[in-house]
Amino acid sequence: MATLKDVAALAHVDVSTVSRALNNKAYVHPETKRRILKAVKQLGYAPNLVAKSLRQGKRHTIGVVVPSINISIFGEIVQGMEEQARNLGYSILISNTMDDPQIERECLARMRTGLVDGIVIASTGENMRLLADIASENIAIIQIVRNQSPQFDCVAADYYECGYEATQYLVKLGCRHIGLINGHGHIRPYEERYQGYKKALAKAHLQEYVVAASKDGSQYFEDGYQATKELLKMVPSLDAIMVATDLQALGVIRAVKKAGLSVPEDVRIISLTGHPVGATLETAMTSMQVPSREMGECATKLMIERIESEDHSAIRHQQIVFQTMLMTRETT
């Protein structure tokens, strides 16, 4: 990696001149500055922002890495975070990964260069070693929604209980063929909700029917639509569907109606990650409501405590779990 000295040597100036030219703190002859910038480009020099931030103190900025803020739980979480951060004198820097491990890796690599004091992340689970490296550089890490490792603080919900309670509710309504449209099992909330669903079905001596949504989490409506078609083909007598998000549930409703069935007369539907939009639909969505804004506020307070602590090693990791709440509406 090129250094300030390397740039100075190539441009035939001293280090202080390079520093003045790059920071625009004093006059540097235009021809000299041109040579310096040419040397910077040729060497691929990047300033050590970490060292600079340490000299200048905290940046009062929190990095937020989430799959997407587009009408999802993460949008609500980010709103809660931003409001709380502003009240406490901090700002946030948001990166959307679309649950792509490579994009996540690139976002984390940029943030670790000194842009932020800490990172709140809903991780894919594929870059845990990188997160450990970043934490070793005294950059605080807090997991949000997805508890992928006990090595870091986490603010999440009780997804097992969420899946269990939703399934029990449908069983009590008389449903006997309950399908689950879930995400991929390597992401903890999906796995834990599945385990709750499985436990409730076993207790009622019922069979499970599970379809995983596509790996590309950006096509919510289409995911719900295609997964429902698959479930109905698998189980023509399907009488209930549990789905990961409200937006996927819109696709579920469309597929059910296209199959000539009615909601909730023929098929009852529950979203396992309630969003405020669900209550405003033409057929209001029954959902397991997640206190997303409160989770965002909690994660922000915890992060700022970590950032402002003098001795990070003395702090015990916290695993904070919020409870979900069943909101019964028209789809059941």
Side-chain angles (χ1 to χ4, degrees):
M1 183 178 291
T3 67
L4 210 63
K5 288 183 179 179
D6 297 329
V7 174
L10 185 58
H12 303 293
V13 295
D14 58 36
V15 172
S16 63
T17 303
V18 174
S19 179
R20 292 200 309 275
L22 296 182
N23 291 304
N24 294 313
K25 289 186 176 180
Y27 175 78
V28 176
H29 190 278
E31 176 58 26
T32 303
K33 190 169 185 177
R34 185 192 66 78
R35 290 204 319 272
I36 290 170
L37 294 178
K38 182 179 178 181
V40 166
K41 185 176 181 180
Q42 185 175 334
L43 293 170
Y45 170 73
N48 188 338
L49 296 178
V50 172
K52 184 176 181 181
S53 66
L54 288 173
R55 291 194 301 271
Q56 295 178 344
K58 301 298 182 186
R59 302 185 71 84
H60 292 88
T61 302
I62 299 168
V64 182
V65 181
V66 293
S68 172
I69 59 172
N70 181 30
I71 314 182
S72 69
I73 181 177
F74 298 109
E76 292 288 300
I77 283 172
V78 167
Q79 286 186 38
M81 288 192 66
E82 187 167 33
E83 184 176 323
Q84 188 66 245
R86 189 185 306 116
N87 291 339
L88 297 174
Y90 279 72
S91 60
I92 65 174
L93 178 66
I94 306 166
S95 288
N96 293 289
T97 67
M98 305 314 298
D99 264 335
D100 184 321
Q102 178 59 37
I103 295 175
E104 180 181 86
R105 192 176 304 118
E106 292 168 359
C107 293
L108 291 171
R110 286 194 296 272
M111 287 185 178
R112 79 184 298 184
T113 61
L115 294 175
V116 300
D117 301 312
I119 298 173
V120 175
I121 182 170
S123 173
T124 63
E126 300 295 318
N127 293 300
M128 303 313 292
R129 181 173 295 180
L130 174 57
L131 284 170
D133 289 344
I134 293 172
S136 71
E137 296 170 359
N138 210 34
I139 297 174
I141 303 290
I142 293 179
Q143 302 169 107
I144 188 80
V145 176
R146 302 171 176 179
N147 191 352
Q148 302 284 38
S149 170
Q151 184 178 357
F152 308 111
D153 292 305
C154 183
V155 177
D158 190 340
Y159 306 110
Y160 176 90
E161 187 61 28
C162 172
Y164 183 81
E165 183 180 351
T167 308
Q168 273 204 320
Y169 169 68
L170 291 172
V171 170
K172 288 176 181 177
L173 289 178
C175 299
R176 291 298 175 264
H177 300 94
I178 304 169
L180 171 63
I181 299 174
N182 206 22
H184 289 263
H186 71 279
I187 295 178
R188 289 289 294 276
Y190 297 134
E191 172 60 21
E192 291 173 8
R193 284 189 296 213
Y194 164 69
Q195 292 299 332
Y197 161 81
K198 181 178 179 179
K199 177 69 174 179
L201 287 182
K203 185 177 179 181
H205 306 290
L206 298 176
Q207 186 174 345
E208 60 182 78
Y209 309 100
V210 182
V211 174
S214 71
K215 193 169 184 180
D216 179 6
S218 64
Q219 304 299 320
Y220 297 106
F221 181 90
E222 186 65 20
D223 282 348
Y225 183 81
Q226 294 299 336
T228 302
K229 288 176 64 177
E230 187 175 341
L231 273 174
L232 288 170
K233 185 177 180 180
M234 181 193 309
V235 195
S237 57
L238 195 73
D239 54 14
I241 299 175
M242 293 164 47
V243 60
T245 70
D246 282 8
L247 282 186
Q248 287 176 334
L250 293 179
V252 173
I253 292 173
R254 179 66 180 274
V256 167
K257 291 184 176 180
K258 288 278 280 187
L261 303 171
S262 299
V263 178
E265 290 80 10
D266 299 311
V267 181
R268 303 177 191 270
I269 301 170
I270 293 184
S271 164
L272 296 178
T273 311
H275 186 280
V277 72
T280 67
L281 300 176
E282 183 178 354
T283 305
M285 184 70 60
T286 294
S287 67
M288 297 301 297
Q289 203 74 22
V290 178
S292 45
R293 288 184 69 94
E294 292 87 344
M295 289 168 64
E297 292 169 359
C298 176
T300 304
K301 289 179 181 177
L302 182 58
M303 172 57 76
I304 292 173
E305 287 177 11
R306 296 295 187 249
I307 291 170
E308 297 185 351
S309 171
E310 294 183 1
D311 184 5
H312 287 196
S313 62
I315 300 175
R316 294 180 60 185
H317 294 309
Q318 293 190 42
Q319 310 295 314
I320 300 171
V321 179
F322 283 77
Q323 297 301 311
T324 57
M325 179 181 297
L326 175 64
M327 305 294 290
T328 57
R329 301 189 182 104
E330 296 171 355
T331 57
T332 57

